[in-house]
């Protein structure tokens, strides 16, 4: 999941995602009301020591960690509110906090289970655009029912909006990649042996592709695919998170068993942006996204991002590691990505071919 308006760096920065979080709207953002931010004491949860890996341009929530966790309420517990999650959801610990949002692990007292709840720190201190994105993310995610997409259990959309999700335990794909390459760095291999050593990572990558394929079949593109938006659980789950930038695309006519436009998830549309607006994460976005060509973003844009994820899996680092945002955007727009063999000479030829095709400068390729 993600939150809004500050730039943070974490373990993905060690892979090259130090770029990235400014509200990427071509129009002026409405001024916030000057209410004091609510600040609860942060817990000692492990996620606190790991700042956000790949902040997102154009997202309203990129400071929150890529996990599902409950959100505490700062309201009076005795105050009556149909959208106050406090009566049913008891906060356990804070997992992360962004400019306007907070996530915490919580207990659903009615069903006696741990869940994730997300809502605003202060509902009066967010813009309408942020509120729209928040509700948009919840509704999109709730209607994409797939093992690789986190389930949403409940949404409260009046006044102090919140939504409740399955709680995920594990690490991000970004961390998983980093740990794998740290363990294997001293081992010399043939290309075949190196390819075999990537099997655990490649199996996760196939899981991601299956989740994205399902979303595409439902007419939804993610627009912000990256390792820090994928959670690897301790029990074999691979879950794609953060659908806050998702939008619908025109349904193809040549696919069988594809949902009709009338059956698309509610509120999934090319919301909020005009051409010229840059949305996504620079180090993982497609050239058309980097150029702000909103009308050209389609399924192939997600495929490009998947190609960059595969590049990162093979090389152990993002192709633009350590570069500032403006420099990354310029390279992606051209595009001039360093060849994968530059960072990993042992890359097997089939993987190299897949990466090159997915990251082609032409959408048609």
């Amino acid at each position: 999941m993600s939150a809004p308006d500050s730039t943070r760096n974490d373990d993905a920065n060690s892979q090259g995602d130090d770029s990235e979080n400014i509200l990427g709207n071509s129009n002026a953002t409405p001024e916030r009301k000057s209410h004091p931010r609510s600040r609860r004491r942060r817990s000692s949860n492990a996620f606190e020591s790991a700042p956000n890996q790949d902040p997102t341009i154009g997202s309203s929530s990129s400071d929150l960690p890529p996990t599902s966790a409950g959100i505490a309420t700062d309201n009076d517990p005795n105050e009556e509110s149909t959208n106050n999650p406090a009566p049913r959801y008891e906060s356990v610990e804070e997992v992360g906090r962004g400019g306007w949002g907070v996530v915490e692990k919580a207990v659903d007292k009615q069903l006696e289970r741990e869940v994730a709840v997300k809502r605003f720190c202060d509902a009066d201190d967010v813009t309408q655009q942020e509120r729209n994105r928040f509700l948009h993310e919840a509704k999109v995610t709730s209607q994409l029912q797939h093992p690789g997409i986190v389930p949403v259990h409940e949404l409260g959309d009046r006044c102090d909006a919140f939504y409740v999700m399955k709680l995920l335990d594990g690490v991000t794909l970004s961390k998983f990649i980093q740990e794998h390459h740290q363990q294997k760095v001293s081992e010399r291999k043939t290309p075949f042996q190196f390819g075999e050593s990537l099997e655990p990572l490649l199996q996760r990558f196939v899981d991601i592709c299956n989740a994205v394929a399902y979303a595409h079949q439902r007419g939804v593109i993610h627009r912000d695919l990256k390792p820090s938006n994928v959670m690897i659980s301790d029990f074999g789950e691979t879950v794609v998170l953060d659908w806050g930038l998702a939008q619908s695309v025109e349904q193809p006519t040549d696919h069988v068993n594809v949902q009709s436009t009338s059956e698309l998830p509610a509120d999934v549309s090319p919301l909020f942006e005009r051409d010229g607006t840059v949305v996504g994460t620079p180090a993982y976005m497609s050239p058309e996204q980097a150029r702000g060509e909103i009308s050209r973003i389609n399924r192939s844009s997600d495929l490009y991002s998947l190609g960059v994820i595969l590049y990162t899996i093979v090389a152990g680092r993002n192709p633009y590691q350590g570069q500032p945002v403006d420099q990354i955007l310029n390279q992606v727009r051209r595009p001039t990505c360093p060849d994968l063999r530059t960072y990993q000479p042992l890359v097997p030829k089939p993987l190299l071919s897949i990466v090159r095709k997915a990251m082609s400068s032409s959408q048609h390729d």
Side-chain angles (χ1 to χ4, degrees):
M1 290 185 246
S2 48
D5 39 10
S6 63
T7 302
R8 301 170 62 187
N9 306 311
D10 76 346
D11 57 88
N13 264 345
S14 61
Q15 300 172 22
D17 316 326
D18 55 341
S19 39
E20 318 147 53
N21 189 32
I22 312 161
L23 187 62
N25 199 320
S26 56
N27 301 317
T29 303
E31 291 186 4
R32 295 173 179 272
K33 300 177 183 179
S34 54
H35 294 277
R37 298 284 188 191
S38 121
R39 291 289 183 252
R40 291 171 59 95
R41 179 181 63 82
R42 299 189 62 128
S43 76
S44 58
N45 189 285
F47 282 104
E48 289 187 19
S49 60
N52 186 20
Q53 305 178 352
D54 325 284
T56 301
I57 291 178
S59 172
S60 60
S61 54
S62 58
D63 287 345
L64 296 180
T67 183
S68 304
I71 294 185
T73 174
D74 294 326
N75 296 339
D76 184 339
N78 297 318
E79 182 180 345
E80 293 294 329
S81 171
T82 58
N83 289 310
N84 183 354
R88 177 171 176 176
Y89 303 103
E90 180 180 355
S91 170
V92 175
E93 60 180 346
E94 183 174 314
V95 173
R97 179 182 292 269
W100 52 257
V102 59
V103 289
E104 286 187 349
K105 178 163 69 173
V107 173
D108 180 342
K109 292 184 287 187
Q110 181 173 326
L111 296 176
E112 298 183 350
R113 63 179 179 180
E114 291 185 332
V115 294
V117 185
K118 178 179 181 180
R119 74 173 178 87
F120 302 120
C121 298
D122 187 340
D124 293 328
D125 200 28
V126 296
T127 66
Q128 186 61 42
Q129 183 187 52
E130 290 169 343
R131 178 181 172 80
N132 288 345
R133 282 204 183 282
F134 182 89
L135 298 176
H136 174 76
E137 177 182 5
K139 290 178 180 179
V140 170
T141 309
S142 70
Q143 295 179 55
L144 292 176
Q145 300 183 37
H146 185 273
I149 300 172
V150 63
V152 172
H153 303 316
E154 181 180 356
L155 168 65
D157 61 357
R158 304 172 194 163
C159 302
D160 192 8
F162 71 94
Y163 64 94
V164 183
M165 293 165 290
K166 176 182 178 180
L167 181 68
L168 300 176
D169 292 319
V171 299
T172 63
L173 176 62
S174 181
K175 184 69 173 177
F176 197 62
I177 293 171
Q178 182 184 21
E179 291 175 347
H180 175 87
H181 281 272
Q182 285 175 344
Q183 293 169 359
K184 306 294 182 181
V185 70
S186 62
E187 300 180 20
R188 301 184 63 182
K189 298 181 176 70
T190 65
F192 178 78
Q193 290 171 326
F194 175 77
E196 278 194 321
S197 74
L198 292 177
E199 184 177 355
L201 292 171
L202 296 178
Q203 287 179 343
R204 301 295 188 171
F205 181 71
V206 170
D207 292 341
I208 298 166
C209 291
N210 285 331
V212 173
Y214 165 80
H216 286 183
Q217 188 182 59
R218 291 277 289 149
V220 177
I221 54 177
H222 189 284
R223 300 201 300 173
D224 196 23
L225 294 168
K226 55 187 176 182
S228 60
N229 275 347
V230 176
M231 180 65 68
I232 307 298
S233 81
D234 296 333
F235 300 99
E237 295 173 294
T238 305
V239 182
V240 179
L241 306 172
D242 195 349
W243 295 81
L245 292 184
Q247 72 175 49
S248 66
V249 292
E250 185 178 353
Q251 290 291 343
T253 57
D254 57 343
H255 284 190
V256 180
N257 296 327
V258 175
Q259 304 292 333
S260 68
T261 303
S262 62
E263 295 175 305
L264 287 175
D267 295 336
V268 184
S269 59
L271 297 173
F272 316 116
E273 303 102 14
R274 301 176 180 176
D275 271 348
T277 303
V278 177
V279 293
T281 300
Y284 290 92
M285 66 173 56
S286 64
E288 57 273 14
Q289 286 176 269
R291 291 191 290 262
E293 297 169 347
I294 297 296
S295 59
R296 293 188 59 196
I297 297 175
N298 57 27
R299 291 175 177 84
S300 68
S301 305
D302 275 354
L303 298 186
Y304 186 97
S305 299
L306 288 171
V308 186
I309 292 174
L310 183 56
Y311 185 119
T312 305
I313 284 173
V314 175
R317 51 163 290 163
N318 183 273
Y320 309 106
Q321 178 168 332
Q323 299 180 25
V325 173
D326 289 345
Q327 187 174 342
I328 293 174
L329 287 173
N330 287 335
Q331 291 187 71
V332 175
R333 286 164 183 157
R334 279 178 252 175
T336 54
C337 176
D339 190 82
L340 177 55
R341 291 175 300 182
T342 303
Y343 298 123
Q344 184 45 263
L346 292 175
V347 56
K349 288 183 180 179
L351 282 179
L352 179 63
S353 176
I354 293 170
V355 170
R356 285 177 173 174
K357 186 173 181 65
M359 296 181 64
S360 170
S361 60
S362 169
Q363 285 182 269
H364 297 293
D365 294 337

